[in-house]
Amino acid sequence: MRPFRQLIHPVLGSVRARRALLLVLLASSLDLARAAAPAAAAPLSEQERALHVLNRLAYGPRPGDLEQVQQMGVKRYIEQQLHPERIPLPADLQARLAALPGLQMTPAQLFVDYGPPSIDKEADKDVKQAARQRAPRELTPQFHTARLLQATESPRQLEEVMTEFWANHFNIFEGKEWVRYWVGDYEKNAIRPYALGHFRDLLGAVAHHPAMLYYLDNWLSSGAGTPGARGRFKGLNENYARELMELHTLGVDGGYQQSDVITLARILSGWTIDVDAMKAGAAPFTFAAQRHDNAPKVFLGRPLPARGYQEGEAALDILANHPSTARFISTQLVQYFVSDQPDPALVQRLTQKFLATQGDLRAVLQTLFDSPQFWARSNYQTQFKTPYQFVVSALRAGDIPVRNAKAVNGALGQFGMPLYGWLTPEGYKYSEAAWLNPDALLRRINFAGNLVNGKSPIARAEGDPAPSNADARPVDPRQLLGTLGPAISAQAAAKIATAPENVQAGLILGSPDFMKR
């Protein structure tokens, strides 16, 4: 790792500024340590409650958000966020999303226009390579832009938080060939519409989407000895069946055996992608009966008669309503919204609500947000932001528009959390242990300083020149402190005020206080 002085130098050009940063880091750490014990039982003030919901149900406050939430009250804010369909989207956001052609295309259109059918088999090597680069060059920036625009600008913040949560829970990797064509549609049509609905509907939408069928190879899976088991479809593939139980529903300790993995793979044999149908403009999912294992099965101790496609739906019903699934999902929600160390009593309460409502995620989240654990001071400003949460919250706090998603994803890549970039199916971790280290902190400090100087490439279209010093509009540190309110302690703000004014906004977003939520 490069020396600390070299790492912070690009952001803080003077010795005085670097000294100010060190003082802020030290003072903030000491303040947190001193305040932890005596203030542990003190209830949150109204302003702190407003900040808390903006940090947990949203990606932090934008200018004016704290005052708005205080005025309406946190109870009404939570109710509003739980019903995103009642919150109108800004016209500008709708227009910018509508202007992304890749986001308006069906999976079949995406496959035909960007996939293997678009590559002429008779073309030379260079032409074929150029064709393969069309999707990364043209589609990927659009899908990244759509995610970032909605995360930073949508007033339906809980919907965005839960969309990210479920997209990570049901992780796919955009670098795996055909997945790249469908990543945007997967999030738009298989995740977002169900993010606050019933878990069974979400599970089914994911199971039928070509991105998941391709990513975890179920599209290749065929029952042993079936008439359609030939060529690349000749074998039973257990990948999706295993991850469906271990990562998507029951959890690794959910009570299933290897025999259940094999049985589930047999149940889902024939759930596949119809390439010919896509070429004709039809939906990609199909059930290939000639590749399905038609023998009777016993799954998780329950007999399943041979019913073809309906066996898969029955298996999803069993998994979605299983007590282990309720507990596994509840644990993850508590870890995300409350604490890295989940309170067993709260997990149990959410598990019971999940089972009683057949997986009504809105009801489960309402129970969580009503819990004393959620509002405990011991869980306030204690969770370390992931790189994605940090970057999005910084963009929101500084009111910095996303004009260049490539620059944002470049920063996320440096932090180790590029969009749709986790190779294996477990997705990114959300815990402090996964992201808190000296190198990561210094990268965040550099990012913060470069973001607020009025010349960030994020705020201008790719290829546009940086503004001159005279035209640059740096983030105002006083306005930024007003936006963040109690997120920045009085002690940290006082230390930051001793630094040169042109680096204060960077110090605010690079402070330990801002890295917590």
Side-chain angles (χ1 to χ4, degrees):
M1 186 175 73
R2 287 183 293 161
F4 181 83
R5 182 181 295 268
Q6 291 179 25
L7 279 164
I8 65 172
H9 181 75
V11 178
L12 306 170
S14 69
V15 173
R16 181 184 176 192
R18 291 199 294 273
R19 186 181 298 119
L21 172 62
L22 291 171
L23 287 172
V24 170
L25 292 172
L26 178 60
S28 296
S29 300
L30 290 175
D31 292 338
L32 289 173
R34 291 191 196 104
L44 302 184
S45 70
E46 288 305 309
Q47 190 180 39
E48 288 172 329
R49 285 165 63 85
L51 175 67
H52 191 53
V53 294
L54 285 166
N55 273 339
R56 301 294 173 93
L57 280 70
Y59 290 113
R62 297 184 83 188
D65 280 357
L66 269 176
E67 294 81 359
Q68 183 181 6
V69 174
Q70 282 185 267
Q71 184 177 12
M72 72 164 59
V74 294
K75 184 176 181 180
R76 185 181 167 204
Y77 177 79
I78 292 171
E79 181 182 2
Q80 184 184 70
Q81 289 297 316
L82 284 168
H83 294 275
E85 70 281 359
R86 302 175 187 173
I87 307 173
L89 289 177
D92 179 66
L93 175 57
Q94 293 186 60
R96 293 189 67 187
L97 293 173
L100 300 171
L103 212 64
Q104 320 312 322
M105 299 169 72
T106 67
Q109 290 171 328
L110 290 162
F111 182 76
V112 170
D113 286 8
Y114 291 93
S118 70
I119 301 175
D120 185 352
K121 294 180 180 179
E122 305 302 321
D124 63 33
K125 183 178 178 181
D126 290 341
V127 172
K128 288 181 179 179
Q129 182 62 26
R132 292 189 184 97
Q133 290 302 311
R134 281 191 64 224
R137 185 178 64 250
E138 298 176 21
L139 285 181
T140 299
Q142 294 183 54
F143 297 155
H144 291 183
T145 296
R147 160 71 83 85
L148 294 167
L149 283 178
Q150 291 172 100
T152 54
E153 297 184 19
S154 174
R156 302 172 178 177
Q157 279 289 286
L158 181 58
E159 180 178 75
E160 294 312 308
V161 165
M162 292 308 299
T163 294
E164 184 225 340
F165 176 89
W166 291 122
N168 191 64
H169 180 86
F170 296 105
N171 181 60
I172 57 174
F173 173 57
E174 73 176 3
K176 183 173 179 177
E177 303 170 87
W178 297 5
V179 175
R180 190 180 296 277
Y181 318 140
W182 296 319
V183 118
D185 184 83
Y186 177 73
E187 182 164 293
K188 178 183 177 183
N189 292 313
I191 301 292
R192 183 170 279 106
Y194 308 100
L196 291 166
H198 279 79
F199 181 74
R200 173 61 178 86
D201 295 334
L202 172 62
L203 188 67
V206 168
H208 289 82
H209 200 278
M212 182 58 74
L213 288 166
Y214 189 88
Y215 173 59
L216 289 179
D217 304 315
N218 202 81
W219 82 292
L220 299 171
S221 187
S222 302
T226 56
R230 55 181 180 270
R232 61 181 172 180
F233 305 114
K234 65 183 177 181
L236 189 70
N237 193 297
E238 300 172 13
N239 286 357
Y240 178 54
R242 179 175 293 104
E243 308 308 350
L244 177 54
M245 287 194 283
E246 179 179 329
L247 297 176
H248 298 173
T249 56
L250 305 176
V252 67
D253 299 318
Y256 65 91
Q257 308 296 326
Q258 173 61 20
S259 59
D260 293 308
V261 174
I262 297 171
T263 299
L264 184 56
R266 292 170 57 212
I267 290 168
L268 295 172
S269 60
W271 284 44
T272 190
I273 298 169
D274 190 331
V275 172
D276 290 333
M278 285 194 293
K279 290 178 181 178
F285 176 83
T286 192
F287 175 69
Q290 72 277 15
R291 289 168 46 199
H292 179 67
D293 182 334
N294 280 308
K297 307 166 184 75
V298 177
F299 178 56
L300 295 174
R302 297 177 61 169
L304 282 184
R307 290 193 296 155
Y309 166 77
Q310 290 302 325
E311 293 172 30
E313 295 293 348
L316 294 180
D317 288 341
I318 292 169
L319 290 169
N321 293 289
H322 199 284
S324 292
T325 298
R327 183 169 56 252
F328 183 56
I329 299 301
S330 296
T331 300
Q332 291 191 317
L333 289 172
V334 173
Q335 287 175 319
Y336 184 93
F337 284 102
V338 182
S339 171
D340 289 359
Q341 303 302 319
D343 183 313
L346 181 55
V347 170
Q348 180 60 20
R349 187 177 176 193
L350 298 193
T351 300
Q352 291 171 348
K353 178 61 71 172
F354 188 104
L355 293 171
T357 61
Q358 290 76 52
D360 184 336
L361 300 171
R362 184 178 286 108
V364 173
L365 287 172
Q366 181 70 72
T367 301
L368 188 154
F369 300 145
D370 285 341
S371 70
Q373 292 93 332
F374 179 74
W375 294 106
R377 182 167 291 278
S378 57
N379 291 322
Y380 167 73
Q381 288 291 92
T382 54
Q383 289 190 300
F384 189 73
K385 293 176 182 176
T386 67
Y388 182 78
Q389 291 165 348
F390 171 73
V391 168
V392 173
S393 64
L395 291 168
R396 284 174 58 81
D399 200 21
I400 297 168
V402 176
R403 303 295 180 193
N404 182 355
K406 185 176 180 180
V408 182
N409 203 48
L412 290 170
Q414 290 182 354
F415 295 146
M417 199 178 184
L419 294 171
Y420 318 112
W422 190 254
L423 178 65
T424 49
E426 73 275 12
Y428 293 112
K429 297 185 186 305
Y430 286 111
S431 65
E432 178 177 299
W435 301 112
L436 179 55
N437 60 75
D439 185 60
L441 290 175
L442 293 171
R443 287 180 185 275
R444 292 188 185 202
I445 292 166
N446 280 338
F447 172 83
N450 290 325
L451 181 67
V452 299
N453 63 12
K455 298 184 177 183
S456 172
I458 293 171
R460 61 181 190 270
E462 186 178 0
D464 284 1
S468 65
N469 290 336
D471 293 331
R473 294 291 179 267
V475 173
D476 185 331
R478 288 170 295 278
Q479 180 178 332
L480 187 58
L481 286 174
T483 295
L484 295 173
I488 308 300
S489 70
Q491 296 91 335
K495 294 292 184 183
I496 290 169
T498 65
E501 186 173 358
N502 66 330
V503 300
Q504 287 180 15
L507 289 174
I508 293 167
L509 296 185
S511 69
D513 287 354
F514 185 75
M515 294 186 200
K516 293 282 189 174
R517 66 184 190 103

